[in-house]
Amino acid sequence: MAGVNSPRQGAYTALAYVTLIVISIFCLLPFIWMALASVDSNAQLFLKWPDSWTFDNYIRVFAEENGVRWFANSLFTVLSATILVVIISGLGGYALSRSKAWWKQPFLYGILLIRVLPSTALLVPLYKILLTANNGMGALVRPWAGENYRAIMQMVGFIDGYLGLIIVLATGQLPLALWIMKVFFDGVPKDYEEAAILDGATLVQRIRRVLIPLALPGLAAAGLFAFMSAWGDFLLPLILLSSPELQTLPIGLFRAFLRINEIDYGLLAAIATIYLIPAVIAFSFARRFLVQTFSGGVKG
Amino acid sequence: MAFDAFQKRRERQLLRLLLPALIPLAVLIIYPALYSVYLSMTNEALTGLAAAKPRFVGAANYFRLFSDARFWNSLFVTFVFVVGSAIIGQFVIGFIAALALKRKIVGGSVFGAAILLPNAAPEVVAGFMWISMLAGGDHATLSKILIALGLPWADWLQTFPLFMVTMVNTWRGIGTAMILLTAGLSAVPTEVYEAARMDGANPRQMFMRITLPLMAPTIFLYMLISTVSTISVFGLVYALTRGGPGGKTEVISVYIYNQSFTNFQLGYGAAGAVVALVVSLALGIAYVRSLKVEV
């Protein structure tokens, strides 16, 4: 039998290689263009070998454009949102795992369903809510802020302010993170907590000494997915931010691209590469969790 | 009785731990979803007379929506986009990749990483990279490659806009499909294949009679998830075409965005949003039911 099968098996394996090479080229070609264009002194729209190699494009992102600012804004808002998500989903996921109350099941179905709502469909009412909240915050800040009013509102405002973007970004990542943490805590035996309860530990002590150390791998997974999704989000900063000082990387890239008459492909490719790298790093860590989170309805 | 009291206190504690999650979800997702239903029955706008004094208009927006050719066009575009990329493109290519990687392949993890890379690219970066591949007529990378091979070229985003946008979204999701289907494939016990081989089954028969039927639940779940997440794709299409040319790639999320933030008709845009919400929710409920989540 083996003698009959071998040549055919060989042909199938060869076919597998050809298929994988073709699919890989299809997947990689756009990245190759971007990487080459970003170090090309004379980058063009199409894929070509660089005229001469240079880091000028990267230097210009930071010197001519507001690259440092964009990067810092993206990192600050996305990391803050990620930290919020990790804390809130850690607590909430624990509650969802341990509770036997009537609200548990509706809540879990609820967070699965929230994940399917398209964010564009929620945008207008969300904007109106944030506008109201922003006016409220403005009324709180205005009496004592004086001439710093605008600067303070850029920090704590809900529209065109860091706080609003961070909270909305974090909320969007909560359903998946809660699901990941709930499933994670389901796998953590209750013995440790029960021992701690018998020792007379309070809830806060139990969380700090027992649950946080146990939950670290789950929190890492929840945090990675929150980071990736918030880092890639384009719609929220597009709608919520207007001040140039608050622009994030996706908006910087998008706006630079819209300056039709002076498209500078080298510069754009450099911005896009800078924006891409943290996403790829996070994804390479998150890859092993991809299958487990499938049941939570994740899809990048 | 003492135990009951303890249990009650504990549940209250747990509920308190859940509150920091419950409040933002209720205020920033559930309430906006309900509010959009109300908004869709007003003539709220950002400019013009209605901006100063919005009125309740009942179902008027919906009547207008269902007689709006552009809305029907966007439903059609969304349908082609979802079926073309999530159901056919990503699934077929991802499945082929998963089957190929099941063989003993040298450098399998390198291929895997290459195929997964598009999944890591933020939507705007993906849109930007594909501008290079497709825009600019004979200057586009794809055209240059075809010209070098002596084949005809086209102005891709002008001539075949919907097909191209669908292809780019396919490109983005092959990796996820591959990973999930690989997991499904490895769950099929090898003894089944051995037994079939003993009975003289050929690879095609084994695929049609064993692999596909055993994978059916995984495939079904995958398709529901990818359908739902493809309906909400916005940044990729917006960065590539902004819905154009002439609405040919205006998927429902771009349609809602354009109505609300380009035409400033918030009430009317909300009616479109409610339709998108209802469709997504219906698919989501099908997903939750078929998942039989043990909660």
Side-chain angles (χ1 to χ4, degrees), chain A:
Chain A
M1 280 308 274
V4 180
N5 267 342
S6 288
R8 187 179 281 176
Q9 286 299 326
Y12 280 126
T13 306
L15 187 65
Y17 275 107
V18 173
T19 313
L20 286 172
I21 289 170
V22 171
I23 298 176
S24 298
I25 291 175
F26 173 55
C27 287
L28 288 182
L29 206 57
F31 292 96
I32 295 170
W33 168 75
M34 194 176 77
L36 287 178
S38 76
V39 291
D40 188 343
S41 60
N42 179 31
Q44 300 293 325
L45 171 67
F46 49 87
L47 178 67
K48 75 185 217 345
W49 198 251
D51 286 3
S52 62
W53 300 76
T54 172
F55 276 103
D56 239 33
N57 296 323
Y58 286 95
I59 295 167
R60 282 192 299 138
V61 174
F62 296 104
E64 285 172 26
E65 301 286 339
N66 242 331
V68 180
R69 192 82 205 220
W70 296 343
F71 192 80
N73 283 337
S74 277
L75 208 59
F76 173 65
T77 50
V78 172
L79 278 182
S80 308
T82 305
I83 292 168
L84 269 181
V85 169
V86 166
I87 297 171
I88 297 175
S89 70
L91 298 173
Y94 173 73
L96 284 171
S97 170
R98 295 299 186 253
S99 170
K100 294 183 188 70
W102 62 268
W103 45 261
K104 176 176 167 167
Q105 192 168 5
F107 190 91
L108 282 170
Y109 283 138
I111 60 175
L112 282 178
L113 287 181
I114 282 176
R115 275 190 61 73
V116 310
L117 303 180
S119 46
T120 30
L122 301 176
L123 217 52
V124 170
L126 184 64
Y127 191 88
K128 295 196 73 176
I129 293 165
L130 291 173
L131 203 58
T132 312
N134 197 52
N135 292 340
M137 184 64 87
L140 276 179
V141 169
R142 197 184 294 276
W144 53 269
E147 59 199 36
N148 295 325
Y149 176 71
R150 196 158 170 268
I152 293 172
M153 282 306 283
Q154 284 190 342
M155 291 292 155
V156 299
F158 287 92
I159 299 280
D160 203 24
Y162 287 121
L163 185 66
L165 180 63
I166 290 168
I167 289 179
V168 178
L169 272 179
T171 307
Q173 320 314 323
L174 271 181
L176 176 64
L178 282 167
W179 187 268
I180 292 175
M181 291 316 296
K182 183 258 175 198
V183 173
F184 184 84
F185 277 117
D186 283 349
V188 174
K190 290 179 189 164
D191 310 3
Y192 299 106
E193 299 155 47
E194 274 156 17
I197 294 176
L198 290 180
D199 287 347
T202 64
L203 180 71
V204 177
Q205 283 172 329
R206 290 207 305 275
I207 290 174
R208 268 184 48 198
R209 307 255 169 83
V210 183
L211 290 170
I212 290 181
L214 283 173
L216 280 178
L219 293 173
L224 273 173
F225 281 103
F227 178 87
M228 282 193 304
S229 165
W231 184 260
D233 196 286
F234 165 68
L235 187 60
L236 287 173
L238 178 70
I239 297 293
L240 294 184
L241 302 178
S242 50
S243 306
E245 310 92 271
L246 299 183
Q247 290 312 319
T248 59
L249 275 171
I251 308 303
L253 176 62
F254 184 68
R255 297 253 156 87
F257 188 68
L258 285 188
R259 289 176 287 188
I260 294 281
N261 40 8
E262 36 152 350
I263 292 186
D264 181 341
Y265 287 101
L267 181 77
L268 284 169
I271 301 173
T273 308
I274 293 167
Y275 180 36
L276 175 69
I277 287 170
V280 171
I281 294 173
F283 189 79
S284 62
F285 283 111
R287 188 181 159 177
R288 69 181 112 157
F289 302 116
L290 266 183
V291 178
Q292 285 106 298
T293 48
F294 184 32
S295 63
V298 63
K299 188 152 176 293

Side-chain angles (χ1 to χ4, degrees), chain B residues 3 18 99 101 144 148 187 232 244 250 255 276 288:
Chain B
F3 181 75
L18 194 61
L99 287 169
L101 280 172
K144 292 250 170 195
S232 55
E250 196 175 47
Y255 175 83
V288 170

Side-chain angles (χ1 to χ4, degrees), chain B residues 92-218:
Chain B
V92 171
I93 303 179
F95 206 3
I96 290 173
L99 287 169
L101 280 172
K102 237 187 100 190
R103 313 200 135 252
K104 288 192 191 69
I105 294 282
V106 180
S109 63
V110 177
F111 286 123
I115 295 170
L116 267 171
L117 191 58
N119 207 263
E123 286 184 324
V124 186
V125 174
F128 169 63
M129 291 192 295
W130 276 96
I131 293 274
S132 148
M133 298 293 120
L134 302 175
D138 59 339
H139 280 303
T141 304
L142 180 60
S143 303
K144 292 250 170 195
I145 294 173
L146 292 178
I147 290 167
L149 295 172
L151 295 167
W153 56 273
D155 197 344
W156 308 104
L157 288 173
Q158 296 296 322
T159 319
F160 313 106
L162 183 53
F163 182 82
M164 290 299 146
V165 169
T166 306
M167 183 194 68
V168 174
N169 196 53
T170 298
W171 168 83
R172 244 185 130 236
I174 295 172
T176 331
M178 177 188 73
I179 287 259
L180 299 174
L181 294 169
T182 300
L185 277 176
S186 60
V188 178
T190 44
E191 301 89 65
V192 187
Y193 289 113
E194 291 301 327
R197 201 167 296 142
M198 294 291 210
D199 293 341
N202 64 34
R204 204 177 143 246
Q205 285 172 327
M206 287 201 274
F207 181 75
M208 299 304 286
R209 305 256 173 89
I210 302 175
T211 312
L212 270 188
L214 283 177
M215 295 270 297
T218 313

